[in-house]
Amino acid sequence: MGRSAGLLAIAVGLTVSCGPQPAQPEAKAGGRSFTVAAAGDVLIHPELVEQAAKDAEKSGRGEAGLDFGPLLAGVKPVISKADLAICHMETPVGNPKGPFQGYPEFLVPPQILTSLKDVGYDTCSTASNHTFDHGLKAVRRTLDAMDKAGLGHSGSARTPKEAEQINIRDVNGVKVAHLSYSWESFLNPTPEKQSWAFKRSRTEDIKKDEKRARDKGAEVVLLSLHWGLEHYNEPSVPQLDMAQRITEETGVDLVIGHHAHVVQPIQKVNGTWVAYSLGNQVARHSSPTGLTEEGAIGWFEFRETADGWDVSARYRTTLVDIPPELEPGEKAPEGAVEDLRLVDVQQALENPQGLPADRTARYRLAEDRTRGFLYNRGAPGGDGLKRLSLEK
């Protein structure tokens, strides 16, 4: 991966918050280690496209008049430090010059993929209820654009042959597989003759693909799931049931959840970390709720032991800053947010110089509320979930 020789190198730049530590399995002599960063939905609404056009005009960078770099720059210090960084690409992409569409049938600029790669993402899940918003042609265009940007992908496919492939990456000398599945949209279901192009979230299929990944040499298997109910901060009963089945019946090493657009708990289920929903990584819903702008980056440290892999979990709170909506001729309040920006909340709170009081309060609300949702199923106790801190 070229970014870290292992967890010891990461430890130079990373510390975790203080507190009682759960008992740790004994490390294997000469054992390997690596880190995984994962975040929530990348959902490019029209307002974000407008922001990218505004930023391109200022920066003179980007492609076809769009630059998503400034929007995402706030998370680069965290994402770029992971040995493996996984995003969730919610929607298909169109052509660089458009036309583009928002909800309910998304078609977004492919320029977002270049910016995701630039902040440090390595691979993305692509199975979602929007995968087939514009049919197989858009699925193929999306995966072609991801290949061009240098991003791996799992969850959808261009051909039946590609659908049989497993995304396995070498991460610090460890073969790590990434699988991705989703429930299917009722608005744009996959045609039966093209059912191979989309990975549906069926436990039996996950079990089969995990076995295939292991047979191909995968030592660690990561699973992305698009599941649950939108705008609920607690996992649904089907989510809880599926988490039980997956952690009982498979050897999957980590479950990464999306779709709710709000943060849900992270907890260990049968000894396996399950992040039910990491919220939105970046989005701008037509009716922001406050919760839809808050998200979490999950940070997972894998350490080889004599009995397998020990996995510890950390998190970092994010927030999409939204400028106030003004009437024509109305002037924004002093210190108001001017641009849509993805903010590393902890970094902002640790470096508050010049930060207005109302924004400081907003960031503290996001930090405290996200912590509450993440911990709501008991993770800070024996599970050991903690906040990730970066050394200055």
Side-chain angles (χ1 to χ4, degrees):
M1 304 299 293
R3 287 200 295 259
S4 170
L7 189 55
L8 289 177
I10 289 293
V12 173
L14 298 177
T15 62
V16 297
S17 54
C18 297
Q21 298 288 327
Q24 297 292 318
E26 185 177 349
K28 180 179 179 180
R32 298 162 295 171
S33 60
F34 64 95
T35 55
V36 175
D41 305 77
V42 175
L43 191 55
I44 303 302
H45 292 98
E47 293 85 350
L48 297 179
V49 180
E50 293 171 8
Q51 181 66 59
K54 181 180 175 182
D55 287 330
E57 189 174 348
K58 289 181 180 178
S59 70
R61 295 189 293 269
E63 179 188 358
L66 296 177
D67 181 8
F68 288 95
L71 172 68
L72 300 178
V75 298
K76 185 170 184 176
V78 177
I79 298 299
S80 63
K81 288 185 182 298
D83 295 314
L84 176 65
I86 302 173
C87 79
H88 175 66
M89 187 60 199
E90 174 93 0
T91 62
V93 304
N95 295 308
K97 295 183 179 181
F100 308 120
Q101 293 178 226
Y103 180 83
E105 296 179 305
F106 285 89
L107 195 66
V108 309
Q111 293 92 320
I112 184 62
L113 301 173
T114 303
S115 294
L116 289 169
K117 180 65 176 179
D118 287 346
V119 299
Y121 283 107
D122 300 295
T123 193
C124 302
S125 52
T126 57
S128 84
N129 56 307
H130 290 290
T131 300
F132 256 74
D133 276 3
H134 292 269
L136 184 59
K137 182 178 180 180
V139 171
R140 287 172 169 159
R141 185 193 305 117
T142 301
L143 300 185
D144 286 347
M146 294 180 82
D147 286 346
K148 182 179 178 181
L151 284 170
H153 43 80
S154 305
S156 56
R158 290 163 283 203
T159 65
K161 183 178 180 180
E162 184 176 44
E164 294 299 313
Q165 297 175 4
I166 301 289
N167 179 2
I168 300 178
R169 307 177 71 86
D170 186 291
V171 185
N172 285 352
V174 181
K175 291 185 177 180
V176 179
H178 179 223
L179 309 177
S180 167
Y181 307 83
S182 174
W183 67 280
E184 191 166 22
S185 171
F186 298 111
L187 182 64
N188 292 300
T190 311
E192 184 61 33
K193 65 180 181 180
Q194 296 171 350
S195 61
W196 46 264
F198 177 80
K199 292 285 189 179
R200 294 159 189 80
S201 49
R202 294 188 284 248
T203 305
E204 290 305 314
D205 290 344
I206 294 171
K207 290 168 67 174
K208 290 176 183 176
D209 286 346
E210 190 228 345
K211 183 179 184 304
R212 291 175 54 236
R214 302 288 184 186
D215 290 345
K216 291 179 179 293
E219 301 167 86
V220 171
V221 177
L222 312 179
L223 171 63
S224 289
L225 284 176
H226 206 68
W227 59 352
L229 299 174
E230 291 185 342
H231 308 295
Y232 282 83
N233 292 103
E234 273 295 292
S236 65
V237 171
Q239 274 178 284
L240 297 173
D241 289 346
M242 191 170 190
Q244 284 289 337
R245 287 199 62 190
I246 288 169
T247 56
E248 287 175 355
E249 300 176 20
T250 78
V252 164
D253 298 281
L254 173 66
V255 179
I256 305 162
H258 314 99
H259 177 64
H261 304 306
V262 294
V263 174
Q264 294 181 345
I266 296 178
Q267 71 169 146
K268 272 188 176 180
V269 182
N270 296 313
T272 299
W273 283 108
V274 177
Y276 289 100
S277 172
L278 294 168
N280 286 325
Q281 169 78 140
V282 62
R284 204 295 190 187
H285 294 264
S286 58
S287 298
T289 68
L291 295 174
T292 53
E293 288 69 65
E294 297 168 5
I297 298 171
W299 181 278
F300 303 93
E301 301 177 352
F302 284 73
R303 184 172 60 108
E304 193 173 17
T305 73
D307 299 321
W309 294 96
D310 173 56
V311 186
S312 61
R314 306 288 183 263
Y315 73 92
R316 191 103 172 166
T317 301
T318 62
L319 175 74
V320 178
D321 257 342
I322 298 181
E325 294 187 11
L326 304 174
E327 297 294 333
E330 183 182 3
K331 190 175 181 180
E334 186 176 352
V337 173
E338 296 181 0
D339 298 292
L340 285 154
R341 291 290 183 261
L342 178 56
V343 177
D344 178 339
V345 170
Q346 190 174 329
Q347 192 277 335
L349 290 175
E350 290 173 352
N351 301 274
Q353 295 86 351
L355 197 63
D358 58 344
R359 288 176 65 188
T360 300
R362 178 65 183 98
Y363 295 161
R364 283 180 177 155
L365 172 63
E367 179 72 20
D368 293 344
R369 189 157 58 183
T370 296
R371 180 181 185 276
F373 291 138
L374 289 174
Y375 286 0
N376 212 27
R377 299 190 67 83
D383 288 352
L385 175 66
K386 291 180 174 63
R387 190 174 66 174
L388 174 72
S389 294
L390 299 179
E391 282 189 348
K392 297 179 181 179

